[in-house]
Amino acid sequence: MRRSHTGGRLAVALGVAFAGALLAPLPVFASNTNFLNGGGPPVDRIDLIWNVFLICASVVLVGVGGAIVYAAFRFRRRSPDEMPKQVHGNSRLELAWTLGPFVVLAALFVLNLVNVGYLRHGPTPGTPAARQEIHIKVVGRQFYWTFYYPNGKYSLRTLEIPVNVPIEISTESLDVIHGFWVPNLGAKIDALPGIVNHAFIEAGSMGTYNGQCYEFCGVGHDQMLITVKAVSMAQYLSYVQHLTT
Ligand SMILES: [Cu+2]
């Protein structure tokens, strides 16, 4: 009797913990750190790729899972003395499930390949969009970010960018590995000591975008936040001009 009480409580506790774990990410879906909410051209592109992958993966999940369940029921042994039909191979089926995934994976690979340059470096060089690109150097160190603007001045922790302008970012670190990511503005990129990495962000509308260091870098990792303010070009120019540093 006592044992069943303990078992019941354990089951309830496990159920609550499981439900909590399922619900914990919910606030993220509404926040501006969810890349699926879009935010600008690069993130819209990432979302497109994500959705194509999600659709393909869902079709595979439903198709394979459905086939397993169907086969388990349809071809089950119905009585103890019955031996279900034994199948030892099917060349056409095997060819189909080899070629099918190959074609899907090749298509997804090409989809990634044609977009990775854009997500790393922004619009194609020579195009009008590329000509207005602004370059900002991002330097990570324990435990804050420094943003260097084209005029040589810099800001700490908060980056101001003009809206609807592609921003080419180069990242580096002065100590350990950090990770720069503002999920609504572009792809995640590591900031490494001794190596310069490139990424591209762009805000599609004015506002404040949040990010943080995405590589555990020490005891102050949680304070290594990023605030990006997307403002008009006039406000941006005035901001960088009036930076004292
Ligand atoms: Cu860090």
Side-chain angles (χ1 to χ4, degrees):
M1 195 64 192
R2 190 163 178 80
R3 185 177 296 167
S4 81
H5 264 164
T6 315
R9 274 196 217 114
L10 185 67
V12 169
L14 281 176
V16 169
F18 184 65
L22 280 181
L23 295 175
L26 274 185
V28 172
F29 289 108
S31 77
N32 73 350
T33 51
N34 177 9
F35 71 95
L36 291 173
N37 291 341
V43 176
D44 290 343
R45 192 75 68 92
I46 291 171
D47 289 354
L48 172 78
I49 298 169
W50 166 277
N51 285 327
V52 171
F53 269 76
L54 182 66
I55 290 167
C56 290
S58 302
V59 170
V60 170
L61 174 72
V62 172
V64 173
I68 290 173
V69 172
Y70 172 78
F73 278 94
R74 174 77 177 77
F75 303 108
R76 72 186 185 280
R77 178 182 250 183
R78 283 156 211 274
S79 63
D81 53 350
E82 181 206 344
M83 175 59 78
K85 188 182 164 197
Q86 301 298 298
V87 179
H88 296 285
N90 184 324
S91 302
R92 271 162 60 188
L93 203 56
E94 285 163 23
L95 194 67
W97 74 47
T98 304
L99 282 182
F102 177 79
V103 170
V104 172
L105 289 177
L108 293 177
F109 174 74
V110 170
L111 178 70
N112 266 340
L113 197 65
V114 297
N115 282 298
V116 72
Y118 172 72
L119 292 173
R120 279 283 166 261
H121 299 286
T124 315
T127 58
R131 275 197 285 276
Q132 56 164 336
E133 206 167 58
I134 289 173
H135 179 253
I136 286 171
K137 186 166 103 174
V138 176
V139 177
R141 80 185 75 172
Q142 292 165 318
F143 294 99
Y144 59 94
W145 297 96
T146 310
F147 305 103
Y148 291 89
Y149 298 89
N151 64 357
K153 295 186 176 181
Y154 64 87
S155 63
L156 300 177
R157 297 182 180 88
T158 298
L159 167 67
E160 280 210 24
I161 58 170
V163 69
N164 291 322
V165 172
I167 311 291
E168 204 217 344
I169 276 187
S170 63
T171 60
E172 51 193 288
S173 166
L174 295 184
D175 38 49
V176 299
I177 299 175
H178 301 280
F180 178 88
W181 195 25
V182 183
N184 283 166
L185 295 184
K188 184 201 288 177
I189 188 80
D190 277 353
L192 306 168
I195 295 175
V196 177
N197 270 341
H198 295 276
F200 152 57
I201 60 171
E202 183 174 341
S205 53
M206 289 204 229
T208 302
Y209 299 85
N210 298 319
Q212 65 187 72
C213 178
Y214 278 85
E215 199 67 56
F216 181 64
C217 57
V219 288
H221 170 64
D222 61 306
Q223 299 149 31
M224 220 171 145
L225 305 174
I226 304 162
T227 305
V228 179
K229 288 183 182 162
V231 296
S232 70
M233 182 53 100
Q235 282 172 295
Y236 163 77
L237 290 174
S238 158
Y239 173 77
V240 291
Q241 198 189 343
H242 289 99
L243 279 171
T244 50
T245 46

